[in-house]
Amino acid sequence: MENQHIIVRVATPDDIHYSNTITDEMESSAKARGTGIAKRSPDYVELKMREGKAVIAVTDKGDWVGFCYIEAWGHEKFVANSGLIVNPAFRGHGVAKSIKKRIFELSREKYPDAKIFGLTTGLAVMKINSELGYEPVTYSELTDDEEFWKGCRSCVNFDILTAKNRKNCLCTAMLYNPLEKLKEAEEKAMADKAAPAQPDPVPQPQFSVSASGHMHHARRRRRFKGNIKLYERWLRFKRFVLLKSKKEGGATGSKKKFFLF
Ligand SMILES: CC(C)(COP(=O)(O)OP(=O)(O)OC[C@H]1O[C@@H](n2cnc3c(N)ncnc32)[C@H](O)[C@@H]1OP(=O)(O)O)[C@@H](O)C(=O)NCCC(=O)NCCS
């Protein structure tokens, strides 16, 4: 590829001529990966551009490079950054990372109190989301807005989602909770403030033994950030279990019970 400058910016109505290219690429990429996605129409992509709720990447020569958009759900309590797609000719150069960062900032500007979430089967997206501060969550922590879940109807795995009573599917749910982040920042600030008085860190017990002899482990939140191997294994495990159960008895007919997430 010859040297080209890539610009990542908020999309405008001037970008609507890219909409067919974008939706065609979304569809062919999903087919190539053999995974499901919620289908998007060019009209919908155009709407997002007109609303200023999309981020586009283009070259200085006007070639389309990438795209992503914002959707608000549950009376704007939740925001999803959806439809991430990068032109195959420009993959592996950090474009998705830049787009996701910009759309995340735009989401925080437009909906500062909303929880930001995403559903994905992609390891790259999990990696990027982790770096932005998202955490893996159960589906029950996502929006219950029916309109959002209707988007899954066009996905090839919709029967699995239905069979699992919307509690699980091949996608992994990830969430950025601004309130939790604020709390974490406050706690860190307090700890930093208190630090000069205690130059030597006091070792915290990781478990204790009660008078009855029971052992209690200190509850520690599992940190997924950077633990990509874990994500990889998790995705493989999910595919194995959910697709196996679909094959064995149809998504709804499996006798086996699996408790994931
Ligand atoms: C997934 C996709 C958006 C990644 O775009 P990209 O511009 O190549 O990604 P980036 O170069 O920004 O990579 C971001 C990170 O993910 C990693 N990554 C990229 N593709 C990956 C893959 N297929 N598997 C594992 N990791 C991957 C990169 O190594 C990078 O990590 P690093 O910062 O530690 O090096 C692109 O491949 C695509 O459009 N795929 C089809 C559509 C799709 O899957 N969309 C996501 C739906 S949820």
Side-chain angles (χ1 to χ4, degrees):
M1 196 198 311
E2 65 179 288
N3 263 356
Q4 295 189 71
H5 294 289
I6 296 170
I7 301 138
V8 177
R9 56 169 173 77
V10 177
T12 71
D14 291 342
D15 296 311
I16 60 175
H17 61 281
Y18 293 113
S19 58
N20 278 298
T21 313
I22 293 170
T23 50
D24 287 351
E25 189 51 59
M26 283 172 173
E27 206 167 333
S28 56
S29 282
K31 271 191 198 139
R33 285 190 302 152
T35 57
I37 51 155
K39 280 198 179 117
R40 287 89 177 180
S41 68
D43 284 353
Y44 191 66
V45 164
E46 285 177 22
L47 174 72
K48 289 292 153 189
M49 289 172 169
R50 290 184 206 281
E51 288 177 338
K53 292 181 184 166
V55 166
I56 196 166
V58 288
T59 67
D60 48 357
K61 295 193 173 82
D63 295 324
W64 170 72
V65 175
F67 187 73
C68 191
Y69 61 80
I70 298 174
E71 287 173 321
W73 304 105
H75 307 287
E76 302 188 354
K77 287 196 179 100
F78 288 87
V79 162
N81 292 167
S82 302
L84 176 69
I85 185 83
V86 172
N87 181 338
F90 294 92
R91 288 181 190 168
H93 298 282
V95 173
K97 215 176 206 179
S98 298
I99 293 177
K100 285 282 287 180
K101 186 169 177 289
R102 186 66 195 96
I103 200 90
F104 178 78
E105 288 164 358
L106 189 64
S107 305
R108 297 283 296 133
E109 284 159 28
K110 284 189 177 288
Y111 305 96
D113 300 325
K115 293 175 179 174
I116 305 173
F117 73 100
L119 277 175
T120 184
T121 52
L123 197 56
V125 175
M126 290 186 182
K127 206 167 178 181
I128 301 169
N129 283 351
S130 292
E131 284 168 13
L132 289 169
Y134 289 58
E135 308 264 355
V137 293
T138 58
Y139 283 20
S140 61
E141 289 184 58
L142 305 183
T143 179
D144 58 4
D145 189 328
E146 289 300 326
E147 285 305 309
F148 168 76
W149 293 100
K150 272 186 195 167
C152 295
R153 285 183 184 171
S154 55
C155 175
V156 293
N157 299 316
F158 184 62
D159 54 344
I160 298 179
L161 180 71
T162 311
K164 299 289 167 197
N165 294 322
R166 224 161 71 183
K167 290 194 176 101
N168 202 1
C169 198
L170 289 177
C171 277
T172 294
M174 295 187 82
L175 181 93
Y176 176 95
N177 184 342
L179 264 184
E180 222 168 75
K181 295 291 161 189
L182 189 70
K183 235 165 77 188
E184 275 174 27
E186 281 170 2
E187 280 168 13
K188 188 177 177 305
M190 273 168 68
D192 287 350
K193 219 168 149 188
Q198 292 177 326
D200 295 318
V202 180
Q204 295 299 309
Q206 279 161 348
F207 59 88
S208 57
V209 184
S210 67
S212 63
H214 283 103
M215 198 176 279
H216 303 277
H217 286 266
R219 284 182 122 236
R220 238 198 292 148
R221 202 149 176 207
R222 204 162 187 192
R223 285 274 148 218
F224 276 77
K225 196 172 170 178
N227 203 341
I228 289 308
K229 284 262 173 291
L230 198 57
Y231 277 131
E232 220 169 349
R233 277 173 53 200
W234 170 245
L235 284 178
R236 270 206 308 272
F237 180 64
K238 250 190 151 186
R239 285 187 72 80
F240 174 75
V241 171
L242 292 174
L243 293 177
K244 187 166 176 259
S245 87
K246 184 178 171 175
K247 252 192 233 158
E248 276 175 357
T252 48
S254 173
K255 289 191 192 87
K256 285 186 184 158
K257 278 210 161 152
F258 296 102
F259 298 95
L260 293 174
F261 260 141

